[in-house]
Amino acid sequence: MKEEIRTILEDLLPLVNFDADFLFAELDSLGITAILMALSQHYGIDLESEDATPKNFRNLDSLVALVQRKLNEKASH
Protein backbone atom coordinates (compact mmCIF):
# COMPACT_ATOMS: atom_id res chain seq x y z
CA MET A 1 0.00 0.00 0.00
CA LYS A 2 2.82 2.41 0.80
CA GLU A 3 4.26 2.28 -2.73
CA GLU A 4 0.78 2.63 -4.22
CA ILE A 5 0.16 5.77 -2.14
CA ARG A 6 3.62 7.10 -3.04
CA THR A 7 2.84 6.68 -6.76
CA ILE A 8 -0.54 8.40 -6.44
CA LEU A 9 0.94 11.34 -4.55
CA GLU A 10 4.06 11.72 -6.69
CA ASP A 11 1.88 11.84 -9.81
CA LEU A 12 -0.36 14.41 -8.13
CA LEU A 13 2.38 16.60 -6.62
CA PRO A 14 5.65 15.89 -8.43
CA LEU A 15 7.58 18.71 -6.74
CA VAL A 16 6.95 17.50 -3.19
CA ASN A 17 9.60 15.41 -1.44
CA PHE A 18 7.59 12.54 0.06
CA ASP A 19 10.71 11.32 1.86
CA ALA A 20 10.95 14.55 3.86
CA ASP A 21 11.43 14.27 7.62
CA PHE A 22 8.35 16.45 8.15
CA LEU A 23 6.06 16.21 5.16
CA PHE A 24 3.50 18.69 6.55
CA ALA A 25 6.06 21.49 6.19
CA GLU A 26 6.50 20.68 2.49
CA LEU A 27 2.81 21.21 1.70
CA ASP A 28 0.51 24.19 1.34
CA SER A 29 -3.24 24.00 1.93
CA LEU A 30 -3.91 23.14 -1.71
CA GLY A 31 -1.44 20.26 -1.57
CA ILE A 32 -3.00 18.92 1.61
CA THR A 33 -6.49 19.19 0.13
CA ALA A 34 -5.35 17.47 -3.07
CA ILE A 35 -3.86 14.59 -1.07
CA LEU A 36 -7.02 14.15 1.01
CA MET A 37 -9.20 14.17 -2.10
CA ALA A 38 -6.98 11.78 -4.08
CA LEU A 39 -6.73 9.24 -1.26
CA SER A 40 -10.46 9.52 -0.52
CA GLN A 41 -11.34 8.80 -4.12
CA HIS A 42 -8.78 6.05 -4.64
CA TYR A 43 -9.62 4.09 -1.49
CA GLY A 44 -13.32 4.99 -1.17
CA ILE A 45 -12.87 6.44 2.30
CA ASP A 46 -13.94 9.70 3.93
CA LEU A 47 -11.03 11.99 4.69
CA GLU A 48 -12.06 15.31 6.21
CA SER A 49 -10.25 18.54 6.92
CA GLU A 50 -9.94 17.35 10.55
CA ASP A 51 -7.63 14.59 9.25
CA ALA A 52 -5.15 17.19 7.94
CA THR A 53 -3.04 17.26 11.09
CA PRO A 54 0.74 17.46 11.40
CA LYS A 55 0.63 13.98 13.00
CA ASN A 56 -1.19 12.45 10.01
CA PHE A 57 1.02 14.29 7.51
CA ARG A 58 4.31 13.73 9.33
CA ASN A 59 5.62 11.40 6.62
CA LEU A 60 4.49 8.86 4.07
CA ASP A 61 4.16 6.16 6.74
CA SER A 62 1.75 8.31 8.77
CA LEU A 63 -0.38 8.88 5.65
CA VAL A 64 -0.45 5.11 5.05
CA ALA A 65 -1.50 4.61 8.69
CA LEU A 66 -4.28 7.19 8.24
CA VAL A 67 -5.61 5.40 5.16
CA GLN A 68 -5.44 2.01 6.89
CA ARG A 69 -7.26 3.38 9.94
CA LYS A 70 -10.04 4.81 7.74
CA LEU A 71 -10.31 1.54 5.80
CA ASN A 72 -10.62 -0.38 9.08
CA GLU A 73 -13.31 2.03 10.31
CA LYS A 74 -15.20 1.61 7.05
CA ALA A 75 -14.95 -2.20 7.24
CA SER A 76 -16.29 -2.27 10.80
CA HIS A 77 -19.47 -0.34 9.89
Coordinates of all heavy atoms in Angstrom, one line a residue:
M1 N 0.8 -1.2 0.0 CA 0.0 0.0 0.0 C 0.9 1.3 0.0 O 0.5 2.2 -0.6 CB -0.9 0.0 1.2 CG -1.8 1.3 1.3 SD -2.8 1.4 2.8 CE -4.2 0.4 2.2
K2 N 2.0 1.2 0.7 CA 2.8 2.4 0.8 C 3.3 2.9 -0.6 O 3.3 4.0 -0.9 CB 4.0 2.2 1.7 CG 4.9 3.4 1.9 CD 6.0 3.1 2.9 CE 7.0 4.3 3.0 NZ 8.0 4.0 4.0
E3 N 3.8 1.9 -1.4 CA 4.3 2.3 -2.7 C 3.1 2.8 -3.6 O 3.3 3.7 -4.4 CB 5.0 1.1 -3.4 CG 6.4 0.9 -2.7 CD 7.2 2.1 -2.6 OE1 7.4 2.8 -3.6 OE2 7.7 2.4 -1.5
E4 N 1.9 2.2 -3.5 CA 0.8 2.6 -4.2 C 0.4 4.1 -3.9 O 0.2 4.9 -4.8 CB -0.4 1.7 -3.9 CG -1.7 2.1 -4.7 CD -2.8 1.1 -4.4 OE1 -3.1 0.9 -3.2 OE2 -3.3 0.5 -5.4
I5 N 0.4 4.4 -2.6 CA 0.2 5.8 -2.1 C 1.2 6.7 -2.6 O 1.0 7.8 -3.1 CB 0.0 5.8 -0.6 CG1 -1.3 5.1 -0.2 CG2 0.0 7.3 -0.1 CD1 -1.6 5.0 1.2
R6 N 2.5 6.3 -2.5 CA 3.6 7.1 -3.0 C 3.4 7.4 -4.5 O 3.6 8.6 -4.9 CB 5.0 6.4 -2.9 CG 6.1 7.2 -3.5 CD 7.4 6.4 -3.4 NE 7.9 6.1 -2.1 CZ 8.6 7.0 -1.4 NH1 8.9 8.1 -1.8 NH2 8.9 6.6 -0.1
T7 N 3.0 6.5 -5.3 CA 2.8 6.7 -6.8 C 1.7 7.7 -7.0 O 1.8 8.6 -7.8 CB 2.5 5.3 -7.5 OG1 3.6 4.5 -7.3 CG2 2.3 5.5 -8.9
I8 N 0.6 7.5 -6.3 CA -0.5 8.4 -6.4 C -0.1 9.8 -6.1 O -0.4 10.8 -6.9 CB -1.7 8.0 -5.5 CG1 -2.3 6.6 -5.9 CG2 -2.8 9.1 -5.4 CD1 -3.2 6.0 -4.9
L9 N 0.6 10.0 -5.0 CA 0.9 11.3 -4.6 C 2.0 12.0 -5.4 O 2.0 13.2 -5.6 CB 1.3 11.3 -3.1 CG 0.2 10.8 -2.1 CD1 0.7 10.9 -0.7 CD2 -1.1 11.6 -2.3
E10 N 3.0 11.2 -5.8 CA 4.1 11.7 -6.7 C 3.5 12.2 -8.0 O 4.0 13.1 -8.6 CB 5.2 10.7 -6.9 CG 6.1 10.6 -5.6 CD 7.2 9.6 -5.7 OE1 7.1 8.7 -6.6 OE2 8.1 9.6 -4.8
D11 N 2.5 11.4 -8.6 CA 1.9 11.8 -9.8 C 1.1 13.1 -9.6 O 1.0 14.0 -10.5 CB 0.9 10.8 -10.3 CG 1.7 9.5 -10.9 OD1 2.9 9.6 -11.1 OD2 1.1 8.5 -11.1
L12 N 0.5 13.2 -8.5 CA -0.4 14.4 -8.1 C 0.5 15.7 -7.8 O 0.2 16.7 -8.3 CB -1.2 14.1 -6.9 CG -2.3 15.1 -6.4 CD1 -3.4 15.2 -7.5 CD2 -2.8 14.6 -5.1
L13 N 1.5 15.5 -7.1 CA 2.4 16.6 -6.6 C 3.9 16.3 -6.9 O 4.6 16.0 -5.9 CB 2.1 16.9 -5.1 CG 0.7 17.2 -4.7 CD1 0.5 17.1 -3.2 CD2 0.3 18.6 -5.2
P14 N 4.3 16.3 -8.1 CA 5.6 15.9 -8.4 C 6.8 16.7 -7.8 O 7.9 16.2 -7.7 CB 5.7 16.0 -10.0 CG 4.6 16.9 -10.3 CD 3.6 16.8 -9.3
L15 N 6.5 17.9 -7.3 CA 7.6 18.7 -6.7 C 7.8 18.5 -5.2 O 8.7 19.0 -4.6 CB 7.3 20.2 -7.0 CG 7.3 20.6 -8.5 CD1 7.0 22.1 -8.7 CD2 8.5 20.2 -9.2
V16 N 6.9 17.7 -4.6 CA 6.9 17.5 -3.2 C 7.9 16.3 -2.9 O 7.8 15.3 -3.6 CB 5.5 17.2 -2.6 CG1 5.6 16.8 -1.1 CG2 4.7 18.5 -2.8
N17 N 8.7 16.5 -1.9 CA 9.6 15.4 -1.4 C 8.9 14.6 -0.4 O 8.7 14.9 0.8 CB 10.9 16.0 -0.8 CG 11.8 14.9 -0.2 OD1 11.6 13.7 -0.4 ND2 12.8 15.4 0.5
F18 N 8.4 13.4 -0.8 CA 7.6 12.5 0.1 C 8.5 11.7 1.0 O 8.0 11.0 1.8 CB 6.6 11.7 -0.7 CG 5.5 12.4 -1.3 CD1 5.5 12.9 -2.6 CD2 4.4 12.8 -0.5 CE1 4.4 13.6 -3.1 CE2 3.4 13.6 -1.0 CZ 3.4 14.0 -2.3
D19 N 9.8 11.9 0.9 CA 10.7 11.3 1.9 C 11.2 12.3 2.9 O 12.0 12.0 3.7 CB 11.9 10.7 1.1 CG 11.5 9.6 0.2 OD1 10.8 8.7 0.7 OD2 12.0 9.5 -0.9
A20 N 10.6 13.5 2.9 CA 10.9 14.6 3.9 C 10.7 14.1 5.3 O 9.8 13.3 5.6 CB 10.1 15.8 3.6
D21 N 11.6 14.6 6.2 CA 11.4 14.3 7.6 C 10.1 14.8 8.2 O 9.6 14.2 9.1 CB 12.6 14.9 8.4 CG 13.9 14.2 8.1 OD1 13.9 13.0 7.7 OD2 15.0 14.8 8.3
F22 N 9.6 15.9 7.7 CA 8.4 16.4 8.2 C 7.6 16.9 7.0 O 7.6 18.0 6.5 CB 8.6 17.6 9.2 CG 7.4 18.0 9.9 CD1 6.6 17.0 10.6 CD2 6.9 19.3 9.9 CE1 5.4 17.4 11.3 CE2 5.8 19.7 10.6 CZ 5.0 18.7 11.3
L23 N 6.8 16.0 6.4 CA 6.1 16.2 5.2 C 5.1 17.4 5.2 O 5.0 18.2 4.3 CB 5.3 14.9 4.8 CG 4.5 14.9 3.5 CD1 5.4 15.2 2.3 CD2 3.8 13.6 3.4
F24 N 4.5 17.6 6.4 CA 3.5 18.7 6.6 C 4.1 20.0 6.2 O 3.4 20.9 5.6 CB 3.0 18.7 8.0 CG 1.8 19.5 8.2 CD1 0.5 19.0 7.9 CD2 1.8 20.8 8.8 CE1 -0.6 19.7 8.1 CE2 0.7 21.5 9.0 CZ -0.6 21.0 8.7
A25 N 5.4 20.2 6.5 CA 6.1 21.5 6.2 C 6.3 21.7 4.7 O 6.5 22.8 4.2 CB 7.4 21.6 7.0
E26 N 6.3 20.6 3.9 CA 6.5 20.7 2.5 C 5.2 21.1 1.7 O 5.3 21.4 0.5 CB 6.9 19.3 2.0 CG 8.2 18.8 2.5 CD 9.4 19.2 1.7 OE1 9.3 19.2 0.5 OE2 10.4 19.5 2.3
L27 N 4.1 21.1 2.4 CA 2.8 21.2 1.7 C 2.1 22.5 2.0 O 2.2 23.0 3.2 CB 1.9 20.1 2.1 CG 2.4 18.7 1.7 CD1 1.6 17.6 2.5 CD2 2.3 18.4 0.3
D28 N 1.4 23.1 1.1 CA 0.5 24.2 1.3 C -0.9 23.6 1.5 O -1.1 22.4 1.3 CB 0.6 25.3 0.3 CG 0.3 24.8 -1.1 OD1 -0.3 23.7 -1.3 OD2 0.6 25.5 -2.1
S29 N -1.9 24.5 1.7 CA -3.2 24.0 1.9 C -3.8 23.3 0.7 O -4.6 22.3 0.8 CB -4.2 25.1 2.4 OG -4.2 26.2 1.4
L30 N -3.4 23.8 -0.5 CA -3.9 23.1 -1.7 C -3.3 21.7 -1.9 O -4.0 20.8 -2.3 CB -3.5 24.0 -2.9 CG -4.4 25.2 -3.2 CD1 -3.9 26.0 -4.4 CD2 -5.8 24.8 -3.4
G31 N -2.1 21.6 -1.5 CA -1.4 20.3 -1.6 C -2.1 19.3 -0.6 O -2.3 18.1 -0.9
I32 N -2.4 19.8 0.6 CA -3.0 18.9 1.6 C -4.4 18.5 1.1 O -4.8 17.3 1.2 CB -3.0 19.6 3.0 CG1 -1.6 19.7 3.5 CG2 -4.0 18.9 3.9 CD1 -1.5 20.6 4.7
T33 N -5.1 19.5 0.6 CA -6.5 19.2 0.1 C -6.4 18.2 -1.0 O -7.3 17.3 -1.1 CB -7.2 20.5 -0.3 OG1 -7.2 21.4 0.8 CG2 -8.6 20.2 -0.8
A34 N -5.5 18.4 -1.9 CA -5.4 17.5 -3.1 C -5.1 16.0 -2.6 O -5.6 15.1 -3.1 CB -4.3 18.0 -4.0
I35 N -4.2 15.9 -1.6 CA -3.9 14.6 -1.1 C -5.1 13.9 -0.4 O -5.4 12.8 -0.7 CB -2.7 14.7 0.0 CG1 -1.4 15.0 -0.8 CG2 -2.6 13.4 0.8 CD1 -0.2 15.3 0.1
L36 N -5.8 14.7 0.4 CA -7.0 14.2 1.0 C -8.0 13.7 0.0 O -8.6 12.6 0.1 CB -7.7 15.2 1.9 CG -6.9 15.5 3.2 CD1 -7.6 16.7 4.0 CD2 -6.7 14.3 4.1
M37 N -8.2 14.5 -1.1 CA -9.2 14.2 -2.1 C -8.8 12.9 -2.9 O -9.6 12.0 -3.2 CB -9.4 15.4 -3.0 CG -10.2 16.5 -2.4 SD -10.4 18.0 -3.4 CE -11.0 17.3 -4.9
A38 N -7.5 12.9 -3.3 CA -7.0 11.8 -4.1 C -7.1 10.5 -3.3 O -7.5 9.4 -3.9 CB -5.5 12.0 -4.5
L39 N -6.7 10.5 -2.0 CA -6.7 9.2 -1.3 C -8.2 8.8 -1.0 O -8.5 7.6 -1.0 CB -5.9 9.4 0.0 CG -4.4 9.6 -0.2 CD1 -3.7 9.8 1.2 CD2 -3.8 8.4 -0.9
S40 N -9.0 9.8 -0.7 CA -10.5 9.5 -0.5 C -11.0 8.8 -1.7 O -11.7 7.8 -1.6 CB -11.3 10.8 -0.3 OG -10.9 11.4 1.0
Q41 N -10.8 9.4 -2.9 CA -11.3 8.8 -4.1 C -10.7 7.4 -4.4 O -11.5 6.5 -4.8 CB -11.1 9.7 -5.3 CG -11.9 11.0 -5.2 CD -11.5 12.0 -6.3 OE1 -10.6 11.8 -7.1 NE2 -12.3 13.1 -6.4
H42 N -9.4 7.3 -4.3 CA -8.8 6.0 -4.6 C -9.2 4.9 -3.7 O -9.4 3.8 -4.2 CB -7.3 6.2 -4.6 CG -6.5 5.0 -5.1 ND1 -6.3 4.8 -6.4 CD2 -6.0 4.0 -4.5 CE1 -5.7 3.7 -6.6 NE2 -5.4 3.1 -5.4
Y43 N -9.3 5.2 -2.4 CA -9.6 4.1 -1.5 C -11.1 4.0 -1.1 O -11.5 3.2 -0.3 CB -8.7 4.2 -0.3 CG -7.3 3.9 -0.6 CD1 -6.3 4.9 -0.8 CD2 -6.9 2.5 -0.8 CE1 -5.0 4.5 -1.2 CE2 -5.6 2.2 -1.1 CZ -4.7 3.2 -1.3 OH -3.4 2.9 -1.6
G44 N -11.9 5.0 -1.5 CA -13.3 5.0 -1.2 C -13.6 5.2 0.3 O -14.4 4.6 0.9
I45 N -12.8 6.1 0.9 CA -12.9 6.4 2.3 C -13.2 7.9 2.5 O -13.0 8.7 1.5 CB -11.6 6.1 3.1 CG1 -10.4 6.8 2.4 CG2 -11.4 4.6 3.2 CD1 -9.0 6.6 3.1
D46 N -13.6 8.3 3.6 CA -13.9 9.7 3.9 C -12.8 10.3 4.7 O -12.5 9.9 5.8 CB -15.2 9.8 4.8 CG -16.5 9.4 4.0 OD1 -16.5 9.7 2.8 OD2 -17.4 8.8 4.6
L47 N -12.1 11.2 4.0 CA -11.0 12.0 4.7 C -11.5 13.4 4.8 O -11.9 14.0 3.8 CB -9.7 11.9 3.9 CG -9.1 10.5 3.9 CD1 -7.9 10.5 3.0 CD2 -8.6 10.1 5.3
E48 N -11.5 14.0 6.0 CA -12.1 15.3 6.2 C -10.9 16.3 6.5 O -9.8 15.8 6.8 CB -13.0 15.3 7.4 CG -14.1 14.2 7.3 CD -15.1 14.5 6.2 OE1 -15.3 15.6 5.8 OE2 -15.7 13.5 5.7
S49 N -11.3 17.5 6.6 CA -10.2 18.5 6.9 C -9.7 18.3 8.3 O -8.5 18.6 8.6 CB -10.8 20.0 6.8 OG -12.0 20.1 7.7
E50 N -10.4 17.7 9.2 CA -9.9 17.4 10.5 C -8.8 16.3 10.5 O -8.0 16.2 11.4 CB -11.0 16.8 11.4 CG -12.2 17.7 11.7 CD -13.3 17.7 10.6 OE1 -13.6 16.6 10.1 OE2 -13.7 18.8 10.2
D51 N -8.7 15.6 9.4 CA -7.6 14.6 9.2 C -6.3 15.2 8.8 O -5.3 14.6 8.8 CB -8.0 13.5 8.2 CG -9.2 12.7 8.7 OD1 -9.2 12.3 9.9 OD2 -10.2 12.5 7.9
A52 N -6.3 16.5 8.4 CA -5.1 17.2 7.9 C -4.4 17.7 9.1 O -4.2 19.0 9.3 CB -5.5 18.3 7.0
T53 N -3.8 16.8 9.9 CA -3.0 17.3 11.1 C -1.6 17.0 10.8 O -1.2 16.2 10.0 CB -3.5 16.5 12.3 OG1 -3.1 15.1 12.1 CG2 -4.9 16.6 12.6
P54 N -0.7 17.7 11.5 CA 0.7 17.5 11.4 C 1.1 16.0 11.7 O 2.0 15.4 11.1 CB 1.4 18.4 12.4 CG 0.4 19.6 12.5 CD -1.0 18.9 12.4
K55 N 0.4 15.4 12.7 CA 0.6 14.0 13.0 C 0.3 13.1 11.8 O 1.1 12.2 11.5 CB -0.2 13.6 14.2 CG 0.0 12.1 14.6 CD -0.9 11.8 15.8 CE -0.8 10.3 16.1 NZ -1.8 9.8 16.9
N56 N -0.8 13.3 11.1 CA -1.2 12.4 10.0 C -0.3 12.7 8.8 O -0.2 11.8 7.9 CB -2.7 12.6 9.7 CG -3.6 12.0 10.7 OD1 -3.2 11.1 11.4 ND2 -4.8 12.5 10.8
F57 N 0.2 13.9 8.7 CA 1.0 14.3 7.5 C 2.5 14.4 7.9 O 3.3 15.0 7.2 CB 0.5 15.6 6.9 CG -0.7 15.5 6.1 CD1 -1.9 15.3 6.6 CD2 -0.5 15.6 4.7 CE1 -3.0 15.2 5.8 CE2 -1.6 15.5 3.9 CZ -2.9 15.3 4.4
R58 N 2.9 13.7 8.9 CA 4.3 13.7 9.3 C 5.2 13.2 8.2 O 6.3 13.7 7.9 CB 4.5 13.0 10.6 CG 5.9 13.0 11.1 CD 6.0 12.3 12.5 NE 7.2 12.7 13.1 CZ 7.4 13.8 13.8 NH1 6.5 14.7 14.0 NH2 8.6 14.1 14.3
N59 N 4.8 12.0 7.7 CA 5.6 11.4 6.6 C 4.7 10.4 5.8 O 3.5 10.3 6.1 CB 6.9 10.7 7.2 CG 6.5 9.7 8.3 OD1 5.5 9.0 8.2 ND2 7.3 9.6 9.3
L60 N 5.3 9.8 4.9 CA 4.5 8.9 4.1 C 3.9 7.7 4.9 O 2.8 7.3 4.7 CB 5.4 8.3 2.9 CG 4.6 7.6 1.8 CD1 3.6 8.5 1.2 CD2 5.6 7.1 0.7
D61 N 4.7 7.2 5.9 CA 4.2 6.2 6.7 C 2.9 6.6 7.5 O 2.0 5.8 7.7 CB 5.2 5.7 7.7 CG 6.3 4.9 7.0 OD1 6.0 4.2 6.0 OD2 7.5 4.9 7.5
S62 N 2.9 7.8 8.0 CA 1.8 8.3 8.8 C 0.5 8.5 7.9 O -0.6 8.3 8.3 CB 2.1 9.6 9.5 OG 2.4 10.6 8.7
L63 N 0.7 8.8 6.6 CA -0.4 8.9 5.6 C -0.9 7.5 5.4 O -2.1 7.3 5.3 CB 0.1 9.5 4.3 CG 0.1 11.0 4.3 CD1 0.7 11.5 3.0 CD2 -1.2 11.7 4.6
V64 N 0.0 6.5 5.2 CA -0.4 5.1 5.1 C -1.3 4.7 6.3 O -2.3 4.0 6.1 CB 0.8 4.2 4.8 CG1 0.4 2.7 4.8 CG2 1.5 4.5 3.5
A65 N -0.8 5.0 7.5 CA -1.5 4.6 8.7 C -2.9 5.2 8.7 O -3.9 4.6 9.1 CB -0.7 5.0 9.9
L66 N -3.0 6.5 8.3 CA -4.3 7.2 8.2 C -5.2 6.5 7.3 O -6.4 6.2 7.7 CB -4.1 8.6 7.8 CG -5.4 9.4 7.5 CD1 -6.2 9.6 8.7 CD2 -5.0 10.8 6.9
V67 N -4.8 6.1 6.1 CA -5.6 5.4 5.2 C -6.0 4.0 5.7 O -7.2 3.7 5.6 CB -4.9 5.2 3.8 CG1 -5.6 4.3 2.9 CG2 -4.7 6.6 3.1
Q68 N -5.1 3.3 6.3 CA -5.4 2.0 6.9 C -6.5 2.1 8.0 O -7.4 1.3 8.1 CB -4.2 1.3 7.4 CG -3.3 0.8 6.3 CD -2.0 0.2 6.7 OE1 -1.4 0.6 7.7 NE2 -1.5 -0.7 6.0
R69 N -6.3 3.2 8.8 CA -7.3 3.4 9.9 C -8.7 3.6 9.4 O -9.6 3.1 9.9 CB -6.8 4.6 10.8 CG -7.4 4.7 12.1 CD -6.6 5.6 13.1 NE -6.4 6.9 12.6 CZ -5.2 7.5 12.2 NH1 -4.1 6.7 12.3 NH2 -5.1 8.7 11.7
K70 N -8.7 4.5 8.3 CA -10.0 4.8 7.7 C -10.7 3.6 7.1 O -11.9 3.4 7.1 CB -9.9 6.0 6.7 CG -9.5 7.3 7.4 CD -10.7 7.8 8.2 CE -10.4 9.2 8.8 NZ -11.5 9.8 9.4
L71 N -9.8 2.8 6.4 CA -10.3 1.5 5.8 C -10.9 0.6 6.9 O -11.9 -0.1 6.7 CB -9.2 0.9 5.0 CG -8.9 1.5 3.6 CD1 -7.6 0.9 3.0 CD2 -10.0 1.4 2.7
N72 N -10.2 0.5 8.0 CA -10.6 -0.4 9.1 C -11.9 0.1 9.7 O -12.8 -0.7 10.0 CB -9.6 -0.5 10.2 CG -8.3 -1.2 9.7 OD1 -8.4 -2.0 8.8 ND2 -7.2 -1.0 10.4
E73 N -12.1 1.5 9.8 CA -13.3 2.0 10.3 C -14.5 1.7 9.4 O -15.5 1.4 9.8 CB -13.2 3.5 10.5 CG -12.3 4.0 11.7 CD -12.1 5.5 11.7 OE1 -12.7 6.2 10.9 OE2 -11.2 5.9 12.4
K74 N -14.2 1.9 8.1 CA -15.2 1.6 7.0 C -15.6 0.1 7.1 O -16.8 -0.2 7.0 CB -14.7 2.0 5.7 CG -15.7 1.8 4.5 CD -15.0 2.2 3.2 CE -16.0 1.9 2.1 NZ -15.4 2.2 0.8
A75 N -14.7 -0.8 7.2 CA -15.0 -2.2 7.2 C -15.8 -2.6 8.5 O -16.5 -3.5 8.4 CB -13.7 -3.0 7.2
S76 N -15.6 -1.9 9.6 CA -16.3 -2.3 10.8 C -17.7 -1.7 10.9 O -18.5 -2.0 11.8 CB -15.5 -1.8 12.0 OG -15.5 -0.4 12.1
H77 N -18.1 -0.9 9.9 CA -19.5 -0.3 9.9 C -20.4 -1.1 9.0 O -20.1 -1.6 8.0 CB -19.5 1.1 9.5 CG -18.9 2.0 10.6 ND1 -17.7 2.6 10.5 CD2 -19.4 2.3 11.8 CE1 -17.5 3.3 11.6 NE2 -18.5 3.1 12.4

